[in-house]
């Protein structure tokens, strides 16, 4: 059984140098190709008003509630904060203070 990660023993040195692939591209050509393909891939994300994420509206609603909760008695009737360490806590800590200086979608 032959390991597919090792070079083929029957392949000559000249054949491996002439083989097509990205490893044979000059650095400038590779960088230009990468930039063009990245730009093509990022256009749909930048043109979208709201990111196409299933749970994104839920995160936005949670941030708005956390930011307004201390000042809104109606929200306090339905919600209470129970802080404990969770993996996504950074968003809960950073976004509500940012809402004082920027809109929710930007924060």
């Amino acid at each position: 059984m032959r390991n597919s990660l090792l070079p083929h023993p029957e392949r000559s040195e000249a054949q491996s140098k002439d083989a097509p692939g990205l490893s044979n591209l000059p650095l400038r050509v590779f960088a230009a190709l990468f930039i063009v393909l990245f730009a093509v891939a990022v256009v749909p994300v930048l043109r979208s008003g709201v990111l196409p994420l299933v749970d994104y509206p839920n995160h936005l609603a949670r941030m708005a509630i956390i930011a307004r909760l201390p000042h809104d008695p109606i929200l306090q009737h339905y919600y209470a904060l129970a802080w404990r360490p969770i993996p996504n806590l950074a968003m809960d800590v950073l976004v509500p203070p940012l809402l004082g200086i920027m809109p929710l979608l930007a924060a």
Side-chain angles (χ1 to χ4, degrees):
M1 181 181 247
R2 186 171 61 94
N3 187 342
S4 62
L5 296 177
L6 297 175
H8 195 282
E10 297 170 6
R11 197 170 209 194
S12 71
E13 188 71 25
Q15 286 176 325
S16 64
K17 286 183 180 177
D18 296 335
L22 292 178
S23 62
N24 294 335
L25 287 178
L27 182 59
R28 288 185 183 196
V29 174
F30 178 79
L33 183 62
F34 178 83
I35 290 170
V36 168
L37 292 175
F38 180 79
V40 168
V42 81
V43 165
V45 174
L46 295 177
R47 295 210 38 168
S48 173
V50 176
L51 295 176
L53 304 173
V54 175
D55 61 345
Y56 189 60
N58 296 330
H59 289 298
L60 292 179
R62 191 177 85 242
M63 294 300 105
I65 290 170
I66 290 173
R68 294 181 183 135
L69 188 60
H71 313 291
D72 191 334
I74 296 173
L75 287 176
Q76 290 173 5
H77 180 73
Y78 293 102
Y79 299 100
L81 289 177
W83 293 105
R84 57 186 176 268
I86 57 172
N88 296 334
L89 190 59
M91 182 178 185
D92 295 350
V93 172
L94 296 175
V95 173
L98 289 175
L99 293 181
I101 58 172
M102 64 180 59
L104 180 60
L105 288 175

